[in-house]
């Protein structure tokens, strides 16, 4: 009898140890909504692609091509590529300045590369010598400096991390040219390198988001993605994780291929969804042609395009993750800074129509008008980027009978009249900003 009780209590003890790992894949909708709230309200983030690939800056042996992919583009042998680590010495890196730039842009979160596909770790990892502290002369904890500056500046700090790794022998994917082992053991890489490195990152830098990439290699499976998702949220329950943790991404459009795919949000890359998204989603886009720093890339998007993108994405219920690629000296390129500043100036006037808003079913009218709604549903915002004859004609969304309507950044209410079934709004003689303007109505 006594023996039986002992056995039963032992079994209960063992099973509770097993179930101490919570299954976050079965999170309720309410819990997810709560966890995602800050992210949903943030709307605008800054992506930073920075690593030792900024040293070659898009050129190898006199030939152009490749940025953060340069190792693959030019089939650079591992031993040769490693030499860039010894040259990476960004003396002008100033985390506070980067955060200032982000804040002036109106950015609410930063996602920086802790490790890209090249496998170089941008922090002092106990698991490798191929990292910024052991292999570079810089000897500074970049991620700590940046995460501290973010915390001080009220900006969320997040990390991009590549599952694919061209440097770890056990991670060598089928068909990879960076084959430096005979029998790669992917499970070993996963259990003894990838997961412990991520645990290290969470412990040291407390990221709000983990942004995975490089999940398309054949060794990575949806089951491994779900396992990783759960592993990470058990370490930090409030963590937000993108959909590239698993295999659910459907091409560059980045939306879920199947319903129970792992990850909290979809990740269209270099494109914006054609209509309002069904799930949480974020468009990541470059500000010129490349993610990583490329000396010869001067193809900067105009401030008009960047603001139009932000408005379009917001109206469709998504977030905009806009990238910068800092130089090997540690500077965010001037043309990026200028454009970000223009966005920030625009947001100072129009922020109410962007942050903490919902995209609507009616998210646009024609090519020049987009609609957003305040989270509480009280206000509708019509954002337009073409102001002809000092008037605006609205056909689809109308103000409440007898209500006052305003332009953000202008004190006096605007005069409006019904014209047939449409609404004609007289615009102020002087507009409060460049690029696009917002009508606020009930
Ligand atoms: O980090 C930046 C790029 O280096 C990285 N993602 C951004 C954020 C990137 N990696 N690859 N690509 C961009 C393009 C790769 C596309 C493909 Fe595919 C991978 C084509 C086939 C495999 C996309 C994913 C389409 C199918 C799976």
């Amino acid at each position: 009898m006594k023996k039986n009780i002992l056995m039963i209590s032992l079994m209960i003890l063992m099973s509770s140890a097993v179930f101490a790992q919570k299954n976050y894949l079965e999170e309720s909708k309410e819990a997810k909504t709560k966890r995602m709230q800050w992210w949903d309200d943030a709307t605008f983030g800054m992506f930073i692609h920075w690593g030792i690939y900024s040293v070659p800056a898009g050129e190898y042996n006199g030939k152009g091509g490749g940025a953060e992919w340069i190792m693959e583009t030019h089939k650079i042998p591992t031993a040769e590529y490693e030499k860039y680590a010894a040259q990476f010495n960004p003396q002008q890196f100033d985390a506070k300045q980067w955060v200032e730039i982000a804040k002036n842009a109106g950015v609410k979160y930063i996602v920086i590369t802790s490790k890209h596909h090249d496998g170089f770790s941008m922090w002092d990892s106990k698991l490798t010598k191929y990292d910024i502290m052991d292999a570079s002369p810089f000897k500074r904890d970049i991620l700590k400096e940046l995460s501290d500056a973010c915390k001080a500046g009220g900006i969320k700090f997040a990390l991009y991390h590549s599952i694919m790794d061209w440097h770890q022998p056990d991670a060598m994917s089928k068909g990879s040219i960076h084959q430096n082992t005979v029998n790669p053991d992917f499970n070993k890489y996963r259990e003894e390198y990838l997961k412990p490195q991520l645990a290290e990152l969470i412990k040291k830098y407390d990221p709000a988001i983990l942004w995975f990439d490089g999940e398309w290699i054949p060794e990575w499976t949806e089951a491994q993605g779900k396992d990783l998702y759960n592993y990470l949220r058990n370490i930090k329950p409030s963590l937000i994780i993108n959909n590239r943790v698993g295999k659910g991404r459907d091409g560059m459009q980045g939306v879920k291929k199947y319903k129970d795919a792992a990850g909290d949000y979809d990740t269209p890359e270099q494109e914006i969804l054609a209509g309002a998204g069904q799930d949480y989603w974020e468009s990541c886009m470059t500000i010129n042609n490349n993610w990583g720093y490329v000396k010869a890339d001067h193809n900067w998007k105009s401030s008009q395009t960047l603001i139009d993108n932000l408005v379009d994405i917001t109206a469709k219920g998504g977030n905009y993750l806009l990238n910068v690629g800092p130089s090997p000296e540690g500077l965010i390129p001037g043309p990026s800074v200028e454009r970000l500043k223009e966005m920030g100036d625009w947001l100072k006037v129009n922020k109410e129509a962007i942050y903490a808003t919902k995209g609507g079913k009616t998210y646009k009218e024609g090519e020049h008008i987009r609609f957003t709604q305040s989270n509480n549903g009280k206000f509708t915002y019509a954002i337009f980027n073409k102001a002809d004859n000092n008037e605006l004609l609205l056909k689809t969304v109308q103000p409440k009978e007898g209500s006052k309507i305003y332009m953000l950044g202008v004190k006096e209410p605007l005069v409006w009249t019904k014209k047939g079934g449409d609404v004609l709004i007289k615009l102020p003689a002087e507009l409060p900003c460049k690029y696009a303007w917002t009508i606020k109505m009930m």
Side-chain angles (χ1 to χ4, degrees), residues 341-358:
K341 173 78 169 57
E342 295 264 279
M343 295 181 83
D345 289 346
W346 184 84
L347 275 163
K348 273 194 194 105
V349 175
N350 297 281
K351 56 179 180 280
E352 194 186 320
I354 300 294
Y355 306 118
T357 58
K358 309 186 268 199

Side-chain angles (χ1 to χ4, degrees), residues 282-429:
E282 170 192 77
S283 269
C284 58
M285 292 183 147
T286 53
I287 196 164
N288 51 0
N289 283 346
N290 289 280
W291 300 98
Y293 179 72
V294 170
K295 248 191 327 248
D297 183 355
H298 305 295
N299 196 14
W300 306 100
K301 295 186 175 85
S302 67
S303 298
Q304 181 75 58
T305 298
L306 298 171
I307 287 167
D308 287 349
N309 285 350
L310 176 65
V311 171
D312 190 34
I313 290 168
T314 308
K316 291 168 179 169
N319 281 12
Y320 192 20
L321 186 62
L322 180 60
N323 181 75
V324 296
S327 72
E329 291 80 32
L331 299 174
I332 298 175
S336 295
V337 178
E338 286 159 28
R339 282 156 180 77
L340 288 165
K341 173 78 169 57
E342 295 264 279
M343 295 181 83
D345 289 346
W346 184 84
L347 275 163
K348 273 194 194 105
V349 175
N350 297 281
K351 56 179 180 280
E352 194 186 320
I354 300 294
Y355 306 118
T357 58
K358 309 186 268 199
K361 262 187 220 136
T362 313
Y363 65 88
K364 74 174 209 169
E365 181 179 315
E367 283 320 300
H368 296 288
I369 307 170
R370 294 288 183 277
F371 299 105
T372 65
Q373 268 195 316
S374 59
N375 271 349
N376 61 13
K378 207 169 155 194
F379 298 107
T380 296
Y381 305 94
I383 312 168
F384 59 103
N385 65 2
K386 196 162 180 258
D388 288 341
N389 312 320
N390 258 20
E391 57 186 32
L392 180 74
L393 189 72
L394 287 181
K395 292 170 184 290
T396 44
V397 175
Q398 308 214 335
K400 263 195 202 140
E401 200 75 48
S403 69
K404 283 189 175 156
I405 67 173
Y406 292 87
M407 176 175 281
L408 294 184
V410 177
K411 226 168 168 182
E412 292 300 312
L414 304 179
V415 174
W416 66 278
T417 49
K418 289 237 171 171
K419 188 183 172 192
D422 304 338
V423 167
L424 190 65
I425 302 165
K426 191 153 170 22
L427 301 177

